[in-house]
Amino acid sequence: MLYHPLGKSALHVSEIAFGGMSLKGAEASDIALLHQALDSGINFFDTADLYDQGANETLFGKAFKDRRDQVVLATKVGNQLRPDGSGWDWNPRKDYILESVHHSLRRLQTDYIDLYQLHGGTLDDPTDETIAAFEQLQQEGKIRYYGISSIRPDVIRTWVERAHLVSVMMQYSLLDRRPEESTLSLLEANNIGVLARGSVAKGLLAGKPATEYLDYSPEAVQTVQAAVKAASGQQRSMGQTAMRYVLQHPAITSLVVGIRTTQQLEEALGAASAPALTPAAMQDLAAVLPDRFYESHR
């Protein structure tokens, strides 16, 4: 397992990160899986206060309370659950963030959060107020660093210009190469770590039957699947080839993989140790479909 500095921070994170959103099993087996991931070299674990209405953070807290110094914990804020349980509303206000962090700290059973992320964002947000909340929490020692989770180029650009963020989490895969247009190069130039999610496109790049994805038809998805399978050969599974394509982009710091089973964990670990794609293979995979660009939020 390789470890990379996360942007300009002092954090060194494994190139495979454990995404906790998929965990929905029995507590004991989920904790055992988290421990297995840590023992296998993954030190970066990502959750959010929204996941399972906070229960996901509670699970992480129970799993790592005696091994806190061995893990980099990331969580997210900004989606406020409604009291009646009917859903959530977007809330990037300073007072809400300053209140929410205490609940996350309690559930995570820790005195500090390594990476606190805004779980979304729009140009209509009170961005300077939101940034002020993160800066205050950093000064108070409740968080070490902060970032955002967003696919919107205009929002990302605004945060790069105004904030001292160290990371951006975004969707990126062979079926969603939109970040390659400008966002990845912008973040790389500013030494901001990219945390890539969705690298196997809901399993479509790991062998699931082809279906529509974004604006791609099932036939287009099948074309990409065939190219991934051909590039895999005997060296990697399809999913590992898809993950390697993302991992090998120079802007990527870590691949956030949603893991629910031991098999999925082994698949992700295998991507880290699998043979690298050659530059020619990378180019061939990128050329399978025409480039797509973000049509909004530019």
Side-chain angles (χ1 to χ4, degrees):
M1 180 70 68
L2 297 178
Y3 301 85
H4 305 296
L6 182 60
K8 297 180 282 285
S9 79
L11 301 173
H12 281 72
V13 299
S14 49
E15 64 176 353
I16 301 294
F18 191 115
M21 184 174 67
S22 299
L23 290 174
K24 295 184 183 298
E27 179 180 292
S29 60
D30 283 347
I31 289 176
L33 187 63
L34 289 166
H35 287 172
Q36 183 182 352
L38 179 58
D39 293 338
S40 299
I42 294 176
N43 75 340
F44 190 19
F45 295 83
D46 177 76
T47 181
D49 60 3
L50 181 67
Y51 299 163
D52 205 10
Q53 298 184 337
N56 201 258
E57 286 185 329
T58 299
L59 180 72
F60 275 41
K62 290 180 178 179
F64 299 127
K65 63 180 180 180
D66 296 324
R67 305 179 71 175
R68 180 65 181 92
D69 60 336
Q70 300 176 38
V71 299
V72 175
L73 284 180
T75 190
K76 309 179 195 75
V77 66
N79 293 295
Q80 184 174 15
L81 289 167
R82 297 171 188 154
D84 63 4
S86 63
W88 58 87
D89 299 299
W90 179 239
N91 190 347
R93 306 296 304 195
K94 181 178 181 180
D95 57 352
Y96 176 68
I97 294 171
L98 296 181
E99 173 191 353
S100 296
V101 73
H102 294 285
H103 301 301
S104 288
L105 288 167
R106 172 179 51 79
R107 288 189 290 260
L108 290 166
Q109 299 191 46
T110 184
D111 296 326
Y112 65 94
I113 294 165
D114 295 295
L115 179 66
Y116 204 33
Q117 302 159 98
L118 185 67
H119 204 171
T122 74
L123 288 186
D124 295 326
D125 291 347
T127 302
D128 291 335
E129 177 183 326
T130 308
I131 293 170
F134 286 120
E135 293 282 347
Q136 178 177 329
L137 291 175
Q138 194 172 34
Q139 292 168 8
E140 293 173 351
K142 293 170 184 172
I143 67 173
R144 294 184 67 187
Y145 302 98
Y146 65 88
I148 63 171
S149 177
S150 178
I151 64 170
R152 299 181 172 189
D154 52 5
V155 171
I156 292 170
R157 195 161 49 246
T158 296
W159 274 75
V160 170
E161 293 169 354
R162 298 188 193 178
H164 299 101
L165 77 169
V166 301
S167 66
V168 174
M169 183 180 292
M170 67 176 65
Q171 179 170 290
Y172 176 45
S173 75
L174 272 167
L175 282 171
D176 188 0
R177 293 176 46 237
R178 293 174 297 176
E180 292 179 1
E181 180 192 2
S182 61
T183 306
L184 292 179
S185 58
L186 170 69
L187 296 174
E188 185 180 12
N190 285 275
N191 193 17
I192 295 170
V194 179
L195 309 176
R197 60 176 179 82
S199 59
V200 295
K202 296 183 177 180
L204 292 173
L205 297 177
K208 283 189 175 181
T211 185
E212 289 183 1
Y213 187 80
L214 299 178
D215 60 347
Y216 290 120
S217 67
E219 292 75 21
V221 171
Q222 283 182 325
T223 300
V224 177
Q225 289 175 326
V228 171
K229 186 174 182 179
S232 300
Q234 301 299 314
Q235 298 179 301
R236 311 173 212 85
S237 68
M238 283 180 61
Q240 289 167 350
T241 295
M243 285 188 267
R244 286 238 51 102
Y245 178 85
V246 176
L247 269 176
Q248 289 179 218
H249 191 289
I252 303 301
T253 301
S254 188
L255 204 64
V256 183
V257 183
I259 297 172
R260 186 178 64 255
T261 66
T262 299
Q263 181 180 1
Q264 290 172 339
L265 174 61
E266 292 174 348
E267 174 86 346
L269 292 169
S273 60
L277 291 164
T278 65
M282 293 280 289
Q283 291 177 2
D284 288 345
L285 287 169
V288 173
L289 294 177
D291 289 343
R292 290 288 193 276
F293 304 117
Y294 291 110
E295 295 181 359
S296 57
H297 309 296
R298 297 182 62 85

